[in-house]
Amino acid sequence: MNLNASRTVSIVVPVFNEEESLPLLHEQVARTLAQMDGCTHELIYVDDGSSDGSLEVCRELYARDPEHVRVISFRRNFGQTAAMAAGFDAARGEVIIPMDADLQNDPNDIPRLLEKIKEGYDVVSGWRADRQDTFLSRRLPSVLANRLISAITGVHLHDYGCTLKAYHRDVAAHMNFYGELHRFLPVLASWAGARVAEIKVNHRARQFGVSKYGIGRTLRVLLDLITIKFLLSYSTKPMQVFGKWGLYALCVGFFAGLMTLGEKLLINQDVTDNAWLFVCMFFSLGGLQLICMGLLGEINVRTYYESQKKPIYTVRERLGGSPSP
Ligand code: UDP
Ligand code: MG
């Protein structure tokens, strides 16, 4: 999957109250991109309902360089993931590179990301090895979250949260953005069969404004991790997960039923006062419910894939036969 000689790069920048940083960021990114040979570019600023002058700054940048700048402005604040999704949807480049608007990512890393894409990787993930954020509220939760995500998803990266990454457009087309899922994009891409690489990138302290997140983000990331794990493993076979636990529960219920019956028949114990009876009822009903949920899940999966004619696989290349769809 090599890049064409005249490759186009789309830089996607989610913007939420970053009026002071934007002019500097634009200057730095435009300078870096202009120095790169054989590469055309576009800069997509997505204003995520800013309440400061960010949108005016974006408009000015567009007025100065309409050939390279594009601006999308949301009606209200929809969140960073939504802003990135809008940028990815609008991007026309062969490679899409999201980056923060607050100057914490270094535009000088863009050529290195592109080099790695040229080597044949579909996703190149930035790793803020020397992260310039507070330790207790940002770096420590991030290290723990990254380890957990790595262990649970099986996609081994050091820094999922770094916005600066490069995506080949072929894999970006397969990624859906929901919730706070933007940090799991390499996982989704890898799930779609992408080749994922990681490089160390520079990270700078925030010069202007304040971070838009607090410690509460860790919780949201954890919830998304559960969603991602479920989607990764079972989104095409929900009966396999619900049905399995349903069967286990039914077995426990059956065993408890036998115990109740045994105690009644052998030692004539009063079943209304028997703990096994409750275990039997609870697990039998729970098991049946889980199996029913699995069946409902199967119906949902079919509706999801068949109504949108979504394949349950992704193809890298076809040789011979009919052309790829
Ligand atoms: N951002 C956004 N919408 C939001 C919150 C943040 O578009 O609701 C943007 C923000 O302008 C910045 C990027 O997302 O460009 C990362 O935000 P921030 O720097 O606050 O996160 P941190 O670097 O502290 O993790
Ligand atoms: Mg930041």
Side-chain angles (χ1 to χ4, degrees):
M1 204 180 288
N2 282 331
L3 300 174
N4 296 330
S6 65
R7 54 191 183 268
T8 340
V9 178
S10 300
I11 309 285
V12 171
V13 186
V15 179
F16 183 51
N17 295 346
E18 309 278 8
E19 59 180 355
E20 297 107 322
S21 317
L22 276 174
L24 278 172
L25 174 85
H26 183 76
E27 191 200 307
Q28 291 179 9
V29 175
R31 195 179 339 120
T32 306
L33 290 169
Q35 284 166 359
M36 291 170 56
D37 295 332
C39 159
T40 53
H41 68 269
E42 59 177 4
L43 268 152
I44 306 176
Y45 292 105
V46 186
D47 173 53
D48 185 14
S50 297
S51 52
D52 66 353
S54 296
L55 181 57
E56 281 65 44
V57 178
C58 290
R59 285 206 177 105
E60 249 169 57
L61 296 174
Y62 171 73
R64 266 197 267 149
D65 189 4
E67 200 191 321
H68 293 116
V69 175
R70 296 167 67 194
V71 178
I72 298 168
S73 151
F74 282 178
R75 287 187 189 275
R76 66 166 173 82
N77 178 239
F78 283 92
Q80 189 185 347
T81 302
M84 284 175 59
F88 272 64
D89 287 344
R92 293 175 294 206
E94 210 180 333
V95 182
I96 306 173
I97 301 185
M99 67 188 295
D100 285 348
D102 58 1
L103 291 167
Q104 289 199 269
N105 297 136
D106 187 347
N108 289 322
D109 286 318
I110 295 174
R112 294 176 48 237
L113 290 169
L114 286 172
E115 276 307 310
K116 211 71 187 158
I117 292 269
K118 259 201 276 179
E119 280 176 27
Y121 290 101
D122 304 304
V123 178
V124 183
S125 181
W127 167 18
R128 297 164 292 180
D130 186 18
R131 190 170 166 184
Q132 302 296 318
D133 278 322
T134 51
F135 179 75
L136 215 58
S137 66
R138 321 304 298 276
R139 283 183 2 235
L140 182 68
S142 156
V143 166
L144 297 179
N146 283 320
R147 292 232 175 111
L148 193 67
I149 297 170
S150 174
I152 290 186
T153 61
V155 178
H156 301 297
L157 296 178
H158 291 89
D159 189 3
Y160 296 85
C162 177
T163 312
L164 186 64
K165 299 183 194 297
Y167 298 88
H168 197 284
R169 70 167 304 114
D170 290 351
V171 293
H174 291 289
M175 301 183 312
N176 291 325
F177 297 58
Y178 297 101
E180 293 280 310
L181 283 191
H182 66 86
R183 69 197 62 250
F184 293 103
L185 291 179
V187 177
L188 293 176
S190 164
W191 177 26
R195 285 178 284 233
V196 182
E198 185 175 51
I199 61 168
K200 286 187 185 175
V201 294
N202 192 13
H203 193 244
R204 311 184 286 194
R206 205 181 230 285
Q207 287 184 43
F208 307 103
V210 287
S211 170
K212 311 300 178 293
Y213 302 101
I215 188 87
R217 171 165 66 183
T218 318
L219 219 63
R220 297 205 297 272
V221 171
L222 282 181
L223 290 175
D224 271 341
L225 180 60
I226 297 175
T227 313
I228 260 304
K229 176 65 189 165
F230 181 75
L231 288 177
L232 277 177
S233 313
Y234 303 109
S235 67
T236 57
K237 42 184 189 321
M239 187 58 173
Q240 301 289 332
V241 60
F242 289 114
K244 184 174 80 182
W245 289 106
L247 282 183
Y248 289 158
L250 280 183
C251 288
V252 175
F254 183 70
F255 174 75
L258 283 183
M259 291 299 285
T260 321
L261 214 60
E263 288 189 350
K264 173 75 191 161
L265 296 179
L266 298 179
I267 51 175
N268 200 22
Q269 199 188 38
D270 183 8
V271 284
T272 51
D273 193 21
N274 189 333
W276 284 115
L277 182 65
F278 290 100
V279 175
C280 168
M281 287 190 326
F282 183 80
F283 276 85
S284 305
L285 287 175
L288 277 177
Q289 287 219 336
L290 281 171
I291 289 175
C292 289
M293 271 168 71
L295 289 172
L296 287 176
E298 290 287 331
I299 295 173
N300 275 333
V301 166
R302 279 157 182 68
T303 315
Y304 175 75
Y305 283 99
E306 288 169 23
S307 65
Q308 302 182 48
K309 300 225 175 341
K310 270 181 189 291
I312 57 166
Y313 53 84
T314 57
V315 175
R316 189 184 297 280
E317 192 181 359
R318 286 178 203 267
L319 295 175
S322 54
S324 49

